[in-house]
Amino acid sequence: MTENLYLSGNFAPVADEQTALDLRATGRIPEELEGRLLRIGPNPIAPDPATYHWFLGNGMVHGVALRGGRAAWYRSRFVRDDEVTAAKGWPPVSGPQRADALGGGLANTNVISHAGKTLAIVEGGNLPVELSSDLETVQRCDFAGTLPTGFTAHPKRDPDTGELHAAVYGVGAERIQYVVVGVDGRVRKTVDVPVPGSPMVHDCAITKNYFVLLDLPVVLDTAAAEHGSGFPYTWQPEYGARVGLLPREGGAEDVIWREIEPCYVFHPLNAYEDADGRVVIDVVRLPQLFASERYRATEGPPALDRWTIDPRGGPVKEERLDDRPQEFPRLDERLVGKPHRYGYTVEVGPGFRFEALLKHDLRGGRTERHEEGPARAFMEPVFVPRSPDADEDDGWVLAYTYDADANRSDVVILEARDFSAAPVATIHLPVRVPFGFHGNWIPDPS
Ligand SMILES: [Fe+2]
């Protein structure tokens, strides 16, 4: 049997939760960084190597707290779901639960802070899971009973309003649901947008006037679902591929759909409206996904592309910005939905190796690369501004890393404007952090 990539090397789960205080660091941790760098990924508690898929492992959240120029702690905790609590003999998770929850209510894809709560989140219909500031599971959360179905791993926070904008899908539902969560932590708007199948909708984007929907040809395969496939989505190019522009205060009938070349996009970098009212969307584009090889997350190189859509009409202009294989695009999140100049990604080398961080200057047309030798792998970069009113790119890029020689992880802090240089600080963790998905910098309340 072929080895399951997602149970080997640093994709493999770790056995235990860890707590370490007063971490050793090299260099100088900027004193302005007061908060927690959180990250989450799958950490399956009892995976079957024959069927395990990376997307379906029980969640584990990792955090490093920075205070006063010191790394105060590292913690890792399971995001408790029914499988985890049963296996560990822990009490069940309280709070609401969906009858059709996947994996006993797992949440493994992103960790955010909203309305004063730390939330572990996932797509496909499951509810968010609220965590304490020390990353212990508190309870499942349906936004005080206001969330109609499930949520998503990739809500977009409008920097002007603080509201979250989300594209929600459910396995088998032939619709994409636009959900807006207010700053009070309650859903204030939902729009059900019908689509002709049940696509996997991983992410979304916003602009000043539009919510951007991705209706792409990775679609529920009912035959696979009936045969009990753990992840019953396949590449179905005949489904077509289109981008929808939903006016943010409009209804389903107002969506402007535009066809694009078949592809899959897990992650837009950002979207905005240019001076002529065209919608510009920068994305990491995969030429196809789940066409053949179930244990690979990508088939064909994921590259950085730009789509330009004129809502008044005409075809979508599709351009390649950078053809290096890359994923996990991030930006200065004060610019979500607004014109951006810079983006940060992970370069993905042969063998699905996360070998460098990239910083794209999309106005200057230049890319800088940060690498630290062949043993060092990088996880998703997170930008933190130096101060609330600092310029774009004036701040730090933080990332969890994995050192294959030491079989251990660090957190590196890069000066964003000196991206290729050695980190200003490297925080040494006592354990490895498995390759996972996403995370965020969550500043301490001021
Ligand atoms: Fe994602």
Side-chain angles (χ1 to χ4, degrees):
M1 198 188 96
T2 313
E3 185 181 30
N4 189 325
L5 168 67
Y6 295 120
L7 293 173
S8 62
N10 195 46
F11 288 98
V14 293
D16 302 310
E17 299 181 337
Q18 299 280 340
T19 303
L21 306 178
D22 280 327
L23 307 175
R24 194 167 60 83
T26 306
R28 189 188 70 81
I29 299 171
E31 293 190 0
E32 296 93 329
L33 291 172
E34 298 257 347
R36 295 171 296 155
L37 181 67
L38 302 187
R39 175 168 179 79
I40 195 171
N43 200 82
I45 201 152
D48 177 351
T51 58
Y52 174 66
H53 191 286
W54 197 31
F55 293 178
L56 297 175
N58 315 88
M60 180 175 269
V61 64
H62 304 261
V64 167
L66 304 182
R67 279 180 205 126
R70 298 182 58 82
W73 54 253
Y74 163 77
R75 283 183 162 85
S76 59
R77 295 291 183 273
F78 280 100
V79 179
R80 297 187 182 193
D81 58 45
D82 293 346
E83 289 179 3
V84 169
T85 54
K88 295 284 192 183
W90 292 336
V93 181
S94 62
Q97 175 67 305
R98 298 295 187 234
D100 56 352
L102 304 171
L106 67 81
N108 68 8
T109 311
N110 204 348
V111 55
I112 63 168
S113 176
H114 187 67
K117 291 178 176 167
T118 301
L119 300 172
I121 51 179
V122 67
E123 70 196 57
N126 283 10
L127 293 174
V129 177
E130 182 185 346
L131 308 177
S132 72
S133 58
D134 287 346
L135 310 183
E136 303 290 347
T137 295
V138 177
Q139 61 180 353
R140 282 183 294 268
C141 163
D142 61 1
F143 299 118
T146 61
L147 186 66
T149 58
F151 201 51
T152 173
H154 285 289
K156 293 289 174 285
R157 189 190 314 275
D158 184 325
D160 292 334
T161 67
E163 292 184 327
L164 299 181
H165 297 256
V168 173
Y169 75 101
V171 178
E174 296 194 348
R175 57 113 180 90
I176 303 170
Q177 188 174 61
Y178 172 42
V179 174
V180 182
V181 186
V183 292
D184 60 357
R186 299 172 68 87
V187 174
R188 79 150 173 89
K189 178 185 173 81
T190 60
V191 176
D192 281 356
V193 178
V195 291
S198 183
M200 182 176 86
V201 183
H202 186 70
D203 203 340
C204 64
I206 58 171
T207 69
K208 181 168 183 282
N209 293 297
Y210 297 103
F211 180 69
V212 180
L213 298 154
L214 301 174
D215 185 21
L216 303 175
V218 171
V219 186
L220 181 68
D221 180 335
T222 46
E226 283 162 12
H227 288 96
S229 168
F231 199 79
Y233 287 84
T234 55
W235 177 246
Q236 298 176 35
E238 65 281 3
Y239 179 83
R242 55 187 191 156
V243 179
L245 305 179
L246 167 58
R248 278 169 52 169
E249 295 305 328
E253 66 284 2
D254 301 317
V255 178
I256 299 165
W257 290 108
R258 289 282 190 277
E259 302 287 322
I260 54 171
E261 288 296 311
C263 65
Y264 196 75
V265 168
F266 281 107
H267 303 119
L269 170 65
N270 192 31
Y272 61 88
E273 289 162 43
D274 70 12
D276 296 323
R278 292 173 301 201
V279 173
V280 177
I281 313 166
D282 290 348
V283 299
V284 171
R285 178 189 186 275
L286 293 154
Q288 61 179 19
L289 178 73
F290 301 148
S292 55
E293 172 77 69
R294 70 182 302 207
Y295 290 124
R296 287 183 60 85
T298 64
E299 293 156 274
L304 189 62
D305 278 22
R306 171 164 291 179
W307 298 335
T308 305
I309 303 174
D310 189 334
R312 292 156 291 204
V316 177
K317 181 179 173 193
E318 301 189 42
E319 299 170 87
R320 174 94 354 133
L321 297 176
D322 190 73
D323 60 6
R324 270 169 282 218
Q326 57 200 291
E327 252 297 354
F328 301 116
R330 296 297 295 263
L331 84 160
D332 181 334
E333 304 227 330
R334 297 172 299 169
L335 296 173
V336 168
K338 302 167 186 268
H340 59 275
R341 175 168 180 171
Y342 298 99
Y344 316 92
T345 68
V346 176
E347 184 174 347
V348 184
F352 209 39
R353 208 184 92 69
F354 304 128
E355 60 189 25
L357 297 176
L358 300 176
K359 171 183 153 182
H360 301 289
D361 175 353
L362 299 168
R363 210 167 292 155
R366 119 174 222 271
T367 296
E368 292 172 73
R369 189 170 187 271
H370 179 91
E371 56 95 14
E372 298 182 27
R376 184 72 114 180
F378 296 86
M379 304 182 215
E380 181 187 53
V382 174
F383 176 80
V384 184
R386 192 174 309 278
S387 65
D389 57 357
D391 289 341
E392 181 181 6
D393 195 46
D394 181 12
W396 301 278
V397 173
L398 279 57
Y400 283 82
T401 68
Y402 170 67
D403 189 294
D405 290 342
N407 193 31
R408 204 182 41 72
S409 288
D410 292 329
V411 166
V412 293
I413 302 175
L414 312 183
E415 181 73 42
R417 288 181 164 173
D418 197 5
F419 192 77
S420 297
V424 295
T426 300
I427 299 161
H428 306 290
L429 308 187
V431 294
R432 69 182 178 88
V433 174
F435 295 133
F437 299 132
H438 302 285
N440 288 286
W441 172 252
I442 299 178
D444 287 339
S446 48

